[in-house]
Amino acid sequence: MVDIFLEFFGRPEFQNPLTAMWFLFINGGWFVIGVALIRGLWLMWIHEIRAHYASHREYVLLAIKVPKQTEQSPKAVENIFGHLVGLHEGYGNLIEKYWHGKNPQNFAVELVSRGGNIQYYMYMQKKYRAIAEAAVFAQYPDAEIAEAVDYTQELPSLFPDEKYAMYGAELGLSKSTVYPIRTHVAFFDQISGLFKDPLAS
């Protein structure tokens, strides 16, 4: 097969690269180029309409303070996440997805250490703020929730920096996904029934 290919394109009329390209184009190469072009334009369209749709969303960053001596178990946080999952809207119908650019809303729940102080943050669209606050207060009635300034704006956009250093890591599973990771249930003492908080230190 390789010999046939070399013999075919080794002919004198194919010594000129432009001639060889034109031959390939008129003998079916236009189809490959057309498919690649259409796919590229389609991906550009999807990216543009999703960016436009997302630019009209208003977001809020909430700082959450929970009393240190809380009696709640991690099940309470699982219930909060259960409430947030219930807010998932999805992409909508085909017109909303491919013409208006609708995409699922973003939520971020962050655990941040600043100067040795641990702070919990929730980042979401403003229209979901009341629901998120209700979910937190339902589990932690003594919690304090306040709108916060985005702490990432204080950090430089380029690294390395004179003041800040950055370290990143990517975690991967050491075994197949059928082996479960430790969840909050695994941190309950089987004898006393007490919860051994891995973050207490």
Side-chain angles (χ1 to χ4, degrees):
M1 183 69 181
V2 175
D3 293 337
I4 296 173
F5 180 82
L6 291 174
E7 182 182 343
F8 182 77
F9 284 102
R11 294 188 296 180
E13 58 267 29
F14 290 127
Q15 296 302 316
N16 183 345
L18 294 175
T19 305
M21 287 172 35
W22 175 250
F23 178 83
L24 291 173
F25 181 78
I26 63 174
N27 287 285
W30 61 268
F31 179 76
V32 176
I33 294 172
V35 169
L37 183 62
I38 291 171
R39 175 161 173 74
L41 291 173
W42 174 255
L43 293 175
M44 287 173 55
W45 166 258
I46 293 297
H47 176 75
E48 185 65 29
I49 61 173
R50 286 186 180 175
H52 179 73
Y53 186 88
S55 68
H56 289 81
R57 292 176 171 170
E58 293 185 66
Y59 288 90
V60 63
L61 181 69
L62 301 178
I64 302 171
K65 292 183 181 177
V66 178
K68 289 183 178 180
Q69 303 302 325
T70 181
E71 304 256 336
Q72 291 284 16
S73 73
K75 183 70 176 172
V77 179
E78 185 177 322
N79 291 337
I80 293 173
F81 284 126
H83 281 88
L84 296 179
V85 168
L87 297 174
H88 180 72
E89 293 178 354
Y91 289 97
N93 59 38
L94 293 177
I95 293 174
E96 290 174 328
K97 181 178 180 181
Y98 295 116
W99 184 253
H100 298 296
K102 182 177 181 181
N103 49 24
Q105 65 279 15
N106 299 324
F107 290 92
V109 181
E110 304 170 11
L111 178 64
V112 179
S113 176
R114 301 180 68 193
N117 296 320
I118 296 177
Q119 181 71 60
Y120 297 94
Y121 290 103
M122 291 180 76
Y123 183 76
M124 73 202 71
Q125 289 185 65
K126 281 188 176 180
K127 66 180 182 177
Y128 297 120
R129 176 177 180 170
I131 298 172
E133 288 180 344
V136 173
F137 286 133
Q139 305 301 324
Y140 299 98
D142 298 327
E144 297 177 17
I145 302 177
E147 189 168 337
V149 178
D150 188 357
Y151 62 91
T152 62
Q153 299 302 317
E154 303 169 6
L155 303 174
S157 57
L158 295 175
F159 289 91
D161 183 71
E162 295 178 3
K163 185 177 178 183
Y164 295 97
M166 177 178 280
Y167 174 79
E170 183 174 341
L171 303 179
L173 297 174
S174 60
K175 295 184 179 180
S176 172
T177 55
V178 300
Y179 291 91
I181 61 174
R182 294 182 74 184
T183 61
H184 66 84
V185 179
F187 294 105
F188 280 96
D189 188 294
Q190 299 299 321
I191 299 173
S192 65
L194 297 175
F195 176 69
K196 306 298 184 182
D197 188 355
L199 296 178
S201 59

